[in-house]
Amino acid sequence: ENGCKRKRKTKMASFFFRSQARCLGTVWRGQSSRRAGTFAEHFYAEEEHAAKTTITWRNISLFIAIPAVLLVGVNAFKKEQEHHRHREEHGKPEFIEYSHLRIRSKPFPWGDGNHTLFHNPETNPLPDGYEED
């Protein structure tokens, strides 16, 4: 003893010590060192697991996610083309002035205050009807 008093361990230091003891394979509260393994074994096992997981998620991304996004995109494109053909044949739907739609309690802060931010005159009517071409 060199005259220094041993400091009492705090909860955090105690937690850190126990977790490191498990990683290093020392016996702690009845755990055998065979179960815990050495630090190097633990490190290499984690590294191997990370490599396998990376390969798994790469394969999921390449062979499931990308084809799924492409299929959904093709389907959406076909539906949109069908919608445009229908619109060309039948024209705009008849405007019906419902009291609960297109309410303007105050003007929008852009433009003339009556058009929405992403207003499309071909598809979006104003409160009093479609805009004339």
Side-chain angles (χ1 to χ4, degrees):
E1 208 171 279
N2 57 3
C4 295
K5 293 183 180 179
R6 293 181 69 173
K7 293 185 179 178
R8 189 173 177 191
K9 292 181 182 177
T10 62
K11 287 182 182 180
M12 188 65 160
S14 175
F15 171 76
F16 179 76
F17 177 76
R18 283 195 310 269
S19 64
Q20 291 304 310
R22 285 189 196 111
C23 289
L24 295 172
T26 58
V27 177
W28 186 265
R29 293 188 184 175
Q31 288 186 349
S32 67
S33 60
R34 238 180 307 129
R35 181 173 167 217
T38 65
F39 180 76
E41 289 172 350
H42 179 73
F43 179 78
Y44 290 122
E46 286 289 326
E47 196 173 67
E48 183 180 343
H49 174 70
K52 287 180 182 178
T53 304
T54 302
I55 291 169
T56 300
W57 281 106
R58 183 189 56 134
N59 288 339
I60 289 171
S61 298
L62 291 175
F63 300 117
I64 296 175
I66 292 175
V69 169
L70 291 174
L71 287 174
V72 169
V74 167
N75 184 42
F77 181 77
K78 287 182 179 180
K79 294 288 184 184
E80 192 62 26
Q81 294 298 335
E82 182 181 318
H83 175 71
H84 281 291
R85 282 194 302 274
H86 181 268
R87 185 79 183 249
E88 288 173 359
E89 291 174 14
H90 300 287
K92 292 179 186 177
E94 179 187 346
F95 177 77
I96 301 172
E97 188 174 347
Y98 291 108
S99 61
H100 64 282
L101 296 177
R102 294 174 286 281
I103 297 172
R104 306 282 196 267
S105 57
K106 64 179 185 177
F108 292 116
W110 51 82
D112 65 352
N114 198 24
H115 293 80
T116 59
L117 185 59
F118 300 106
H119 181 76
N120 182 348
E122 294 180 14
T123 58
N124 303 119
L126 295 171
D128 55 349
Y130 288 105
E131 295 178 52
E132 297 300 323
D133 294 324

